[in-house]
């Protein structure tokens, strides 16, 4: 995932996540400040690049599949999706780019077929992305805050992972369902890394469960807020601790997720989730949409958050 700043000359990259560095072989130091075009190679389709450039100039979202090159020169096929991020006054402040490497197929005919399926997935991901960007819009304004990228990227990261999960499943099956357990495991891992603290461990136990992507993206976002809170707030005064995520299938076909930490506990005078902060508002809004119930308890130590999501079988 990358964020670029179209208000600066030549729309430079201002943030790249860890997966970008793994995929491209460029470290963030090498990528920051440059326009994304450095990922192109001689064989990259000029027509596709022109369409992309046009969308950026118009401030529009766009998706495509094109050839890129890693730092070591190796080429890879990139299913790229870009979307504008506006502040709450409607001004364009960033572009987010989600990339997903897809297996190369040298038969032109199969490639065309593949691109049609991919376009469908990208379309769905774009809808989810608009929903997420709508939720976080209010925060995009404080653009000189160095923590802003971190908050923003953390919230978009769950979607990047969903996108990878969906594109990975493309050729195997196309029923719009994804492996929820595996996906949530990846979300949790990404958070453990992004907000990592020495001495704080995260254990993840997930049961296999297939759900539609709409439900998955919402659950992923909620859990990403809850897990981030545990990492950021529970261990302020402690050097070590444990965060645990358990996802299981309930008897009636629904899902139960439990996040527990053994930290300081939510302050006595705070009822969470509440609408005072963005995190709380996101969780409240999404739970409502899922008809999920959320139970927040103070344990003997720390906090336990339990979420039940009913699902049609
Ligand atoms: N696991 C936890 N342990 C201790 N305190 C917590 C925990 N989860 C939430 N809190 C408390 O609840 C408050 C509200 O959390 P919330 O996620 O709504 O907002 P935030 O994390 O402060 O900001 P953001 O909008 O970036 O998420 C936190 O500031 C913190 O004091
Ligand atoms: Mg929070």
């Amino acid at each position: 995932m990358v964020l670029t700043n179209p208000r600066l000359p030549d729309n430079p990259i201002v943030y790249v996540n860890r997966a970008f560095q793994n995929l491209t072989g460029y470290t963030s130091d090498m990528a920051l400040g440059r326009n994304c075009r450095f990922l192109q190679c001689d064989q990259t389709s000029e027509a596709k690049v022109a369409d992309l450039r046009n969308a950026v100039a118009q401030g529009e979202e766009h998706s495509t599949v094109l050839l890129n090159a890693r730092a070591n020169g190796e080429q890879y096929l990139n299913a790229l999706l870009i979307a504008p991020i506006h502040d709450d006054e409607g001004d364009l402040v960033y572009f987010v780019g989600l990339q997903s490497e897809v297996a190369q197929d040298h038969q032109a005919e199969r490639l065309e077929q593949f691109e049609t399926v991919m376009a469908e997935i990208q379309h769905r991901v774009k809808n989810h992305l608009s929903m997420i960007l709508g939720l976080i819009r209010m925060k995009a304004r404080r653009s000189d805050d160095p923590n802003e990228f971190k908050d923003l990227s953390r919230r978009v990261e769950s979607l990047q992972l969903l996108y990878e999960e969906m594109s990975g499943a493309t050729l195997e099956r196309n029923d719009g369902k994804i492996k929820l357990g595996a996906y949530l495991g990846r979300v949790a891992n990404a958070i453990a890394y992004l907000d990592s603290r020495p001495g704080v461990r995260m254990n993840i136990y997930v049961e296999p469960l297939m759900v539609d992507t709409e439900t998955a993206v919402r659950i992923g976002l909620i859990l990403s807020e809850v897990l981030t809170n545990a990492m950021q707030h529970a261990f302020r005064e402690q050097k070590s601790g444990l965060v645990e995520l358990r996802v299981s299938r309930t008897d009636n076909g629904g899902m139960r997720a439990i996040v527990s930490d053994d930290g300081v506990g939510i302050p006595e005078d705070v009822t969470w989730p509440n609408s005072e902060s963005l995190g709380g508002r996101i969780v409240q809004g999404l739970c409502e949409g899922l008809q999920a119930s959320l139970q927040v308890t103070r344990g003997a130590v720390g906090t336990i958050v339990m979420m039940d999501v009913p699902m049609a079988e």
Side-chain angles (χ1 to χ4, degrees), residues 165-236:
E165 201 74 41
M166 285 166 80
S167 15
T170 328
L171 293 176
E172 287 169 40
R173 40 185 295 140
N174 188 31
D175 58 0
K177 296 210 168 194
I178 69 152
K179 296 177 182 141
L180 182 70
Y183 167 53
L184 295 178
R186 294 175 73 179
V187 169
N189 266 312
I191 288 162
Y193 173 80
L194 281 173
D195 288 299
S196 70
R197 305 161 159 259
V200 176
R201 282 181 301 140
M202 192 185 287
N203 285 347
I204 301 165
Y205 308 94
V206 292
E207 282 182 5
L209 196 64
M210 300 298 292
V211 304
D212 62 282
T213 55
E214 183 74 40
T215 307
V217 73
R218 286 166 188 271
I219 295 175
L221 273 171
I222 295 173
L223 287 181
S224 119
E225 294 298 327
V226 176
L227 287 166
T228 301
N229 278 351
M231 297 302 281
Q232 289 183 343
H233 304 303
F235 306 108
R236 260 182 294 217

Side-chain angles (χ1 to χ4, degrees), residues 85-307:
I85 301 181
H86 299 102
D87 65 13
D88 49 10
E89 277 160 16
D91 291 330
L92 176 64
V93 281
Y94 298 113
F95 261 101
V96 57
L98 304 184
Q99 304 189 46
S100 182
E101 179 177 0
V102 292
Q104 289 207 47
D105 194 323
H106 297 287
Q107 285 170 275
E109 196 183 309
R110 293 255 343 239
L111 181 65
E112 218 166 88
Q113 235 177 41
F114 170 78
E115 287 191 12
T116 314
V117 182
M118 201 60 220
E120 166 68 28
I121 289 189
Q122 288 176 319
H123 176 73
R124 271 190 248 147
V125 172
K126 268 190 276 191
N127 290 341
H128 299 317
L129 188 60
S130 321
M131 190 245 330
I132 295 181
L133 295 180
L135 284 171
I136 61 185
R137 170 176 288 205
M138 44 206 120
K139 225 169 179 173
R141 260 181 76 73
R142 304 181 349 226
S143 44
D144 33 4
D145 179 349
N147 277 326
E148 177 188 300
F149 295 140
K150 206 170 168 208
D151 284 346
L152 187 63
S153 60
R154 187 165 59 67
R155 290 181 163 123
V156 179
E157 182 100 33
S158 65
L159 192 77
Q160 164 71 52
L161 293 170
L162 183 84
Y163 182 40
E164 284 168 35
E165 201 74 41
M166 285 166 80
S167 15
T170 328
L171 293 176
E172 287 169 40
R173 40 185 295 140
N174 188 31
D175 58 0
K177 296 210 168 194
I178 69 152
K179 296 177 182 141
L180 182 70
Y183 167 53
L184 295 178
R186 294 175 73 179
V187 169
N189 266 312
I191 288 162
Y193 173 80
L194 281 173
D195 288 299
S196 70
R197 305 161 159 259
V200 176
R201 282 181 301 140
M202 192 185 287
N203 285 347
I204 301 165
Y205 308 94
V206 292
E207 282 182 5
L209 196 64
M210 300 298 292
V211 304
D212 62 282
T213 55
E214 183 74 40
T215 307
V217 73
R218 286 166 188 271
I219 295 175
L221 273 171
I222 295 173
L223 287 181
S224 119
E225 294 298 327
V226 176
L227 287 166
T228 301
N229 278 351
M231 297 302 281
Q232 289 183 343
H233 304 303
F235 306 108
R236 260 182 294 217
E237 288 126 55
Q238 283 167 237
K239 287 217 163 51
S240 64
L242 177 67
V243 178
E244 221 167 69
L245 166 69
R246 274 176 198 278
V247 176
S248 38
R249 207 187 140 82
T250 54
D251 273 351
N252 56 5
M255 182 217 73
R256 170 170 289 180
I258 300 174
V259 175
S260 59
D261 68 65
D262 59 357
V264 294
I266 295 181
E268 294 284 350
D269 56 343
V270 174
T271 324
W272 194 86
N274 59 55
S275 51
E276 267 155 48
S277 46
L278 186 53
R281 280 199 297 275
I282 290 177
V283 169
Q284 278 181 329
L286 291 171
C287 277
E288 219 168 284
L290 283 169
Q291 295 184 301
S293 71
L294 199 72
Q295 203 178 312
V296 183
T297 349
R298 279 185 191 83
V301 283
T303 306
I304 305 159
V305 178
M306 183 170 92
M307 173 170 65

Side-chain angles (χ1 to χ4, degrees), residues 4-143:
T4 70
N5 184 342
R7 292 161 300 162
L8 294 176
D10 205 25
N11 194 12
I13 295 177
V14 290
Y15 176 88
V16 298
N17 70 349
R18 177 175 54 146
F20 172 92
Q21 303 176 54
N22 294 342
L23 172 69
T24 64
Y26 290 102
T27 63
S28 80
D29 279 348
M30 293 157 96
L32 295 188
R34 300 172 78 177
N35 181 286
C36 290
R37 80 175 70 83
F38 77 92
L39 294 169
Q40 293 165 19
C41 53
D42 291 343
Q43 285 86 336
T44 308
S45 154
E46 276 172 33
K48 286 182 176 179
V49 171
D51 287 346
L52 190 59
R53 199 180 309 124
N54 196 30
V56 171
Q58 305 290 319
E60 288 169 357
E61 52 179 37
H62 187 69
S63 54
T64 185
V65 177
L66 71 159
L67 210 56
N68 276 166
R70 297 186 230 276
N72 64 6
E74 192 189 354
Q75 296 181 351
Y76 65 98
L77 202 53
N78 183 7
L80 174 70
L81 193 161
I82 61 161
I85 301 181
H86 299 102
D87 65 13
D88 49 10
E89 277 160 16
D91 291 330
L92 176 64
V93 281
Y94 298 113
F95 261 101
V96 57
L98 304 184
Q99 304 189 46
S100 182
E101 179 177 0
V102 292
Q104 289 207 47
D105 194 323
H106 297 287
Q107 285 170 275
E109 196 183 309
R110 293 255 343 239
L111 181 65
E112 218 166 88
Q113 235 177 41
F114 170 78
E115 287 191 12
T116 314
V117 182
M118 201 60 220
E120 166 68 28
I121 289 189
Q122 288 176 319
H123 176 73
R124 271 190 248 147
V125 172
K126 268 190 276 191
N127 290 341
H128 299 317
L129 188 60
S130 321
M131 190 245 330
I132 295 181
L133 295 180
L135 284 171
I136 61 185
R137 170 176 288 205
M138 44 206 120
K139 225 169 179 173
R141 260 181 76 73
R142 304 181 349 226
S143 44

